[in-house]
Amino acid sequence: MQTHRLKAHPAHPPARVSAIEARVIGFDADWLRVRWRIEDAHSLVVPAFAGRGRADELWRATCFELFLRPVGGEAYVELNLSPSERWAAYEFTGYRDGMSDRPASREPDCTMRQGSSFAIFDAAIPRDVLPALPASANFTAVIEEHGGVVSYWAITHPEAKPDFHDQSCFVAELAPPRRA
């Protein structure tokens, strides 16, 4: 499966984090599994464990996000996944318009592991939270480091400011899982 190298927005550089990669590590009829790998994660601030449950404004701390827009459509889905195990799923009718909670039959499963110089965040997302596929995708991360440094990572960024909702950021593709 394809690995996406995320870039920090130049107006918000990281303190020590040097690279982030995101990739789909599994996809079947029930779950989409995505992994983010953070290099040089020594100063990463990880939100405290809060247990599973929906929560808004997860992007105010270290958070991993996935945006999906069905090919040819204006509507899209935003998924926010926190190392605290809190999550959010929203649907939009258009660019930052018509936001509502996206229903989920089950809660995503999120796990954060830290090594000596890296961290790995894995998320298993219930299939019914995803929009119709194939979809254009944007893999992103908001990274908080010690000292209050916050960086915004995406496959690509619009020039002026970080905006993960910008149509130009939906450059990856997520296809439906292949049937056995």
Side-chain angles (χ1 to χ4, degrees):
M1 305 222 171
Q2 187 174 6
T3 297
H4 304 284
R5 296 185 189 278
L6 308 186
K7 300 174 199 165
H9 193 279
H12 299 274
R16 295 188 66 189
V17 170
S18 63
I20 300 178
E21 294 180 345
R23 67 185 174 114
V24 172
I25 59 172
F27 196 5
D28 60 31
D30 298 319
W31 298 94
L32 169 67
R33 290 173 177 78
V34 182
R35 171 171 290 161
W36 286 262
R37 182 182 172 103
I38 305 97
E39 297 296 337
D40 297 313
H42 310 289
S43 64
L44 183 67
V45 175
V46 178
F49 175 77
R52 289 185 186 173
R54 280 188 185 256
D56 292 324
E57 299 190 353
L58 295 172
W59 56 269
R60 294 190 178 275
T62 296
C63 177
F64 301 88
E65 301 178 351
L66 177 59
F67 292 76
L68 296 164
R69 185 182 67 236
V71 172
E74 292 290 322
Y76 62 97
V77 170
E78 173 185 357
L79 300 162
N80 300 164
L81 306 154
S82 172
S84 71
E85 288 197 359
R86 296 292 174 161
W87 62 277
Y90 307 105
E91 45 193 5
F92 294 83
T93 57
Y95 174 74
R96 292 188 177 272
D97 191 41
M99 183 176 119
S100 61
D101 283 342
R102 180 136 176 114
S105 62
R106 295 175 277 191
E107 297 191 275
D109 183 21
C110 302
T111 306
M112 183 81 164
R113 297 184 310 273
Q114 291 187 270
S116 58
S117 66
F118 66 91
I120 292 182
F121 180 77
D122 285 336
I125 302 161
R127 173 68 173 88
D128 65 348
V129 176
L130 307 178
L133 299 176
S136 299
N138 184 16
F139 295 84
T140 70
V142 176
I143 299 297
E144 181 181 1
E145 295 179 82
H146 294 291
V149 175
V150 178
S151 54
Y152 301 90
W153 297 74
I155 299 170
T156 188
H157 292 280
E159 291 182 31
K161 63 180 183 175
D163 184 357
F164 299 154
H165 296 255
D166 189 284
Q167 188 171 6
S168 67
C169 297
F170 288 74
V171 296
E173 182 180 320
L174 182 64
R178 293 187 179 155
R179 295 183 183 184

